């Protein structure tokens, strides 16, 4: 089975994380829906109190600020939007956009009214309620939506609306930060009620935030926080929602009752430290921001003694700086942890997907990690191996020697196989012993040493090596047979060159003696037969000589050196002067012939054979032979060659069906007319010599027009093989 790619492994890891993350997501989903439903219930209850004119529902406690009609309406709209935003269907998202947009519009209009017209105008509050609520009851309750309440509904609903339309990653961070601000402002208002500090729930001379409004605001912020965590990846928030809220609330209470705000800094430190349990590495910065807001609001919520005013300012500045310092340290710690976790995941994916077995052991030889490739190789599951000694995977003698080697290494530090690849044997679960390559490295972390072994099954390689050894033994036997055959061939050549020629010479000589002594006594037919016997014995001797030459041609070493080809051609033409005069033939050199590294005597024989054939088998009154050189040759069949020599004649031409036959030994296209004719081995010698030079020879011919022989030295034509 092919190893999974890194992308496949990443997808698989993501699927596993999603499965593990389902319980967390269900919890946050349920919490966000529950908060949204409670907000709708709260808003509906207060609206019912307005419609039924029940003051207890509107104010909760007599003489406490009341929840405005529009505030209750915003709770209903915001709660419905929060619930709808957690549902995936398009119609629910559209509902969330409409409801949160209406709530944000009401809050924005109220803020604009407060900023432009002041505290005595409540046009936005009475715009809808005047048609449903009697004016005298409205005048009796008084008040309206406070600026702090309007600000909370505006930023909270805008962040919720943004998360529906903008990119998920950025919008969820904005929503998370907004939720912290909303929770903080709500808790400040609650702390104001607990400590009887009106500045906590009333900003300036404007309408105050009601007690149940503050509770609803804290719930709204918690719902927004749960929704932001719901939309974020796994491992983001791993602590209960009430923990940061409780710390914030306690810190603010202590802040309001502690002289100079000394103790609150100690309590805010745990709030920042809770960021360690959050997957979002920006969480400590968010918490530091929230704590800074709490510090500032705690300072302005109470009256200060003039003598200690600047001392408390300095104390709070130092506290805020300390909190931010801790937050920054936690931020960098979480960032480094995040990078290490990513590296761990990548390393785990690499170990799982590698085709080699990766086994990790501790100093005692106990298996700590066993990857899938090791499972497949040894047949054990990780549950069967992890926690047990690595010896279980070893046959003897490695099984008995392993602990001693490990102890020796830990005591002396002497490395025998650490950092090296060694071939040993492994033992599968079924008891089968097989060869393996093991590479072990030591990883030192502090005072602990861990050993990582990479194991590769080399059973197939060992089998191939055994087959290779068998093949080499066969080749050695074949080589010995070939050497013996060559020796026998040399002996045959010696016998043929001496013993076979001796009777041939005897036949030739006795035939000549008979002709000289008894020619006048024999009839014409007897003389003709004796002459025929002389010619046949001469031809037989030539055939024997050519056969011996051919047998030695492939075994003799070439005496190569740099040679001027034009000098070879001129030397061949000079030795053929008589033949050229008899046949009225002419040999010309077409262009420049280069110098090449070759065996000059053998190449001389090549040109002599080709030129001789071009003249002898020429039916023109003035045979013409042209010798030249081409840097690049392109054949009729598209084959390409470089550095090509050619010998061209204007003779009879050779039919295409005989282009291969002419290179066979003793193959002649025309019958011999006399004993001076060749044996038909010349072109065979030519091909053999060129093949010994790692070259190729071929021809192009047109019957009646002539033939051109092409050959290379040292390079074959592309797509062609030289025949040896």
């Amino acid at each position: 089975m092919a190893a999974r790619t890194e992308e496949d492994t990443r997808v698989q890891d993501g699927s596993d994380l999603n499965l593990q993350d389902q319980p967390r997501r269900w919890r946050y989903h349920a919490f966000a829906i529950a908060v949204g439903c409670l907000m709708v219930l709260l808003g509906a209850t207060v609206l019912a109190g307005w419609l039924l004119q029940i003051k207890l529902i509107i104010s909760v406690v007599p003489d406490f600020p009341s929840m405005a009609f529009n505030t209750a309406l915003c709770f209903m709209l915001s709660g419905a939007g929060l619930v709808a935003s957690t549902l995936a269907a398009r119609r629910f998202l559209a509902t969330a956009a409409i409801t949160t947009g209406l709530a944000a519009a009401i809050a924005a209009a109220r803020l604009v009214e407060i900023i432009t017209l002041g505290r005595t105008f409540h046009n936005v509050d009475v715009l809808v309620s005047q048609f449903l609520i009697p004016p005298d009851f409205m005048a009796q309750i008084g008040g309206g939506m406070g600026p702090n309440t309007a600000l909370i509904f505006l930023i909270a609903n805008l962040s919720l609306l943004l998360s529906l339309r903008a990119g998920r990653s950025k919008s969820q961070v904005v929503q998370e930060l907004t939720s912290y601000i909303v929770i903080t402002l709500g808790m400040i208002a609650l702390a104001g009620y607990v400590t009887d500090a009106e500045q906590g729930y009333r900003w300036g001379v404007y309408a105050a935030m009601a007690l149940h409004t503050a509770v609803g605001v804290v719930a709204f912020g918690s719902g927004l926080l749960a929704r932001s965590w719901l939309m974020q990846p796994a491992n983001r928030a791993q602590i209960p929602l009430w923990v940061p809220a409780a710390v914030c609330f306690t810190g603010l209470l202590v802040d309001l009752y502690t002289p100079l705000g000394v103790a609150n800094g100690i309590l805010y430190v745990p709030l920042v430290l809770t960021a360690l349990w959050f997957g979002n590495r920006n969480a400590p910065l968010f918490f530091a921001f929230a704590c800074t807001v709490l510090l500032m609001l705690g300072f302005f919520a109470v009256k200060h003694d003039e003598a200690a005013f600047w001392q408390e300012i300095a104390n709070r500045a130092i506290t805020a700086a300390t909190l931010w310092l801790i937050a920054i340290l936690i931020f960098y710690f979480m960032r480094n942890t995040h990078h290490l976790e990513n590296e761990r995941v990548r390393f785990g994916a690499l170990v799982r997907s590698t085709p080699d077995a990766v086994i990790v052991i501790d100093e005692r030889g106990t298996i700590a990690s066993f990857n899938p490739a090791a499972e497949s190789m040894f047949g054990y599951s990780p549950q069967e191996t992890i926690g047990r000694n690595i010896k279980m995977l070893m046959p003897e003698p490695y099984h008995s020697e392993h602990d001693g080697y490990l102890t020796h290494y830990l005591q002396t530090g002497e490395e025998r196989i650490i950092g090296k690849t060694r071939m040993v044997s492994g033992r599968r679960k079924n008891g089968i012993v097989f060869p393996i390559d093991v590479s072990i490295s030591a990883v030192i972390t502090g005072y602990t040493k861990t050993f990582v072994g990479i194991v590769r099954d080399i059973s197939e390689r060992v089998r191939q090596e055994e087959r290779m050894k068998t093949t080499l033994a066969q080749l050695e036997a074949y080589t010995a047979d070939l050497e013996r055959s060559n020796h026998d061939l040399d002996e045959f050549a010696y016998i043929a060159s001496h013993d076979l020629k001796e009777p041939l010479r005897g036949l030739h000589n006795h035939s000549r003696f008979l002709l000289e002594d008894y020619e006048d006594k024999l009839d014409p037919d007897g003389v003709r037969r004796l002459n025929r016997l002389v010619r046949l014995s001469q031809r037989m001797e030539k055939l024997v000589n050519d056969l011996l030459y051919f047998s030695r041609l492939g075994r003799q070493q070439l005496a190569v050196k740099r040679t001027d080809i034009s000098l070879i051609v001129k030397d061949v033409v000079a030795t053929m002067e008589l033949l050229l005069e008899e046949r009225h033939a002419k040999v010309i050199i077409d262009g420049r012939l280069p110098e090449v590294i070759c065996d000059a005597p053998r190449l001389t024989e090549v040109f002599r054979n080709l030129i001789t054939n071009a003249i002898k088998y020429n039916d023109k009154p003035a045979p013409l032979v042209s010798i030249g050189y081409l840097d690049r040759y392109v054949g009729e069949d598209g084959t390409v060659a470089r550095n090509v020599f050619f010998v061209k004649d204007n003779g009879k031409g050779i039919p295409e069906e005989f282009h291969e036959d002419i290179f066979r030994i003793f193959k002649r296209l025309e019958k011999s007319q006399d004993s001076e004719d060749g044996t038909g081995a010349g072109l065979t010698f030519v091909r053999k010599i060129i093949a010994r030079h790692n070259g190729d020879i071929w021809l192009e011919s047109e019957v009646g027009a002539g033939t051109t022989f092409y050959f290379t030295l040292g390079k074959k034509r592309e797509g062609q093989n030289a025949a040896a």
Side-chain angles (χ1 to χ4, degrees), residues 266-576:
I266 300 175
L267 287 174
Y268 287 146
V269 169
L271 177 62
V272 178
L273 292 177
T274 57
L276 291 170
W277 284 268
F278 287 74
N280 187 350
R281 57 187 175 184
N282 294 318
L285 303 180
F286 293 155
F287 285 153
F289 174 77
C291 292
T292 303
V293 173
L294 291 174
L295 283 170
M296 294 175 63
L297 292 175
F299 175 76
F300 290 109
V302 296
K303 295 180 180 180
H304 304 284
D305 182 62
E306 185 176 352
F309 182 77
W310 292 107
Q311 184 180 358
E312 187 171 350
I313 289 180
N315 174 71
R316 291 183 180 271
I318 294 173
T319 301
T322 303
L323 291 175
W324 277 101
L325 177 61
I326 295 173
I328 292 173
L329 292 176
I330 295 175
F331 170 79
Y332 282 108
F333 171 77
M334 294 179 69
R335 188 181 69 172
N336 294 337
T337 303
H338 178 71
H339 291 163
L340 289 175
E341 178 66 16
N342 287 340
E343 291 298 325
R344 187 193 66 80
V345 170
R346 280 194 288 268
F347 177 74
L350 177 63
V351 169
R352 286 192 298 273
S353 62
T354 181
D356 294 331
V358 179
I359 304 173
V360 180
I361 65 173
D362 60 18
E363 296 177 345
R364 298 184 300 275
T366 304
I367 299 174
S369 177
F370 203 72
N371 77 330
E375 296 180 50
S376 176
M377 184 180 299
F378 290 95
Y380 290 99
S381 66
Q383 293 77 10
E384 294 175 298
T385 57
I386 293 177
R388 298 182 61 185
N389 196 286
I390 189 68
K391 293 189 298 183
M392 66 181 293
L393 306 177
M394 301 177 182
E396 294 293 349
Y398 309 107
H399 182 91
S400 302
E401 296 174 353
H402 179 265
D403 287 346
Y405 169 74
L406 197 58
T407 303
H408 178 77
Y409 170 74
L410 293 174
Q411 291 176 351
T412 65
E414 181 183 352
E415 298 180 353
R416 295 179 184 174
I417 62 172
I418 301 296
K420 303 175 183 177
T421 300
R422 182 184 179 192
M423 190 177 80
V424 295
S425 296
R427 183 175 60 196
R428 293 191 171 97
K429 184 177 181 180
N430 56 13
I432 295 177
V433 176
F434 63 104
I436 57 176
D437 267 350
V438 178
S439 177
I440 301 176
S441 58
V443 180
I444 301 175
T445 54
Y447 295 99
T448 304
K449 286 186 179 180
T450 303
F451 302 94
V452 180
I454 299 176
V455 184
R456 177 170 297 176
D457 186 348
I458 58 172
S459 300
E460 182 60 29
R461 191 183 80 187
V462 170
R463 284 193 291 269
Q464 290 179 355
E465 289 176 353
E466 291 297 328
R467 287 195 292 267
M468 185 67 70
K469 290 178 181 178
T470 303
T471 303
L472 288 175
Q474 292 174 347
L475 286 176
E476 290 177 357
Y478 294 154
T479 302
D481 291 341
L482 184 60
E483 290 177 353
R484 186 167 51 254
S485 297
N486 287 336
H487 179 70
D488 294 343
L489 184 59
D490 288 338
E491 289 185 354
F492 166 76
Y494 176 80
I495 294 172
S497 62
H498 293 83
D499 299 346
L500 189 59
K501 286 183 179 180
E502 185 176 350
L504 286 176
R505 292 193 188 98
L507 288 173
H508 177 267
N509 293 335
H510 282 83
S511 299
R512 293 292 300 271
F513 294 156
L514 286 173
L515 284 173
E516 292 176 1
D517 296 341
Y518 300 101
E519 184 176 6
D520 56 342
K521 297 178 180 180
L522 297 174
D523 58 6
D525 185 59
V527 173
R528 181 179 62 79
R529 290 181 182 276
L530 284 174
N531 284 325
R532 178 67 173 169
L533 186 60
V534 170
R535 287 195 299 273
L536 288 175
S537 62
Q538 290 175 339
R539 178 169 176 75
M540 184 63 180
E541 186 175 7
K542 288 182 180 179
L543 290 172
V544 170
N545 289 334
D546 287 347
L547 184 61
L548 294 173
Y549 178 74
F550 182 75
S551 68
R552 293 171 178 170
L553 190 60
R555 293 181 289 115
Q556 293 177 341
Q557 294 294 326
L558 297 178
V560 295
K561 63 178 180 178
R562 182 168 293 279
T563 305
D564 189 344
I565 301 300
S566 60
L567 295 179
I568 289 179
V569 174
K570 290 176 182 178
D571 181 62
V572 171
V573 172
T575 59
M576 298 175 60

Side-chain angles (χ1 to χ4, degrees), residues 23-68:
R24 179 192 72 89
R25 298 180 65 85
W26 278 112
R27 288 197 301 271
Y28 293 142
H29 189 262
F31 185 86
I33 292 178
V35 169
C37 293
L38 288 175
M39 291 173 62
V40 172
L41 180 61
L42 174 63
T45 301
V46 174
L47 286 179
W50 276 98
L51 294 174
L52 299 175
Q53 301 182 22
I54 303 175
K55 294 183 180 180
L56 182 63
I57 297 176
I58 301 174
S59 300
V60 180
V61 178
D63 299 329
F64 269 33
S66 59
M67 182 187 294

Side-chain angles (χ1 to χ4, degrees), residues 40 72-82 96 98-100 102-103 106 157:
V40 172
L73 183 59
C74 284
F75 268 120
M76 288 189 63
L77 293 173
S78 301
L82 179 61
I98 293 172
T99 54
T100 55
L102 287 174
I106 293 173
N157 284 283

Side-chain angles (χ1 to χ4, degrees), residues 635-650:
E636 297 175 355
D637 58 353
T639 56
V640 178
R642 297 187 181 277
N643 306 319
V644 179
F645 294 93
F646 66 85
V647 178
K648 182 178 181 182
D649 65 58
N650 61 344

Side-chain angles (χ1 to χ4, degrees), residues 42 58-61 63-68 71 75 110 114 143-155 181-194 197-220 297:
L42 174 63
I58 301 174
S59 300
V60 180
V61 178
D63 299 329
F64 269 33
S66 59
M67 182 187 294
T71 301
F75 268 120
R110 175 59 178 155
I114 292 174
M145 183 185 292
N148 47 357
T149 305
L151 177 63
I152 289 171
F153 278 120
L154 177 62
I155 62 175
I181 297 174
V182 171
I183 293 173
T184 301
L185 294 176
M187 292 181 65
I188 290 172
L190 286 176
Y193 278 105
V194 173
E198 189 176 353
Q199 297 92 336
Y201 55 85
R202 184 189 301 276
W203 289 6
V205 296
Y206 300 101
M209 180 186 295
L211 176 61
H212 45 335
T213 300
V215 174
V217 165
V218 173
F220 190 15
L297 292 175

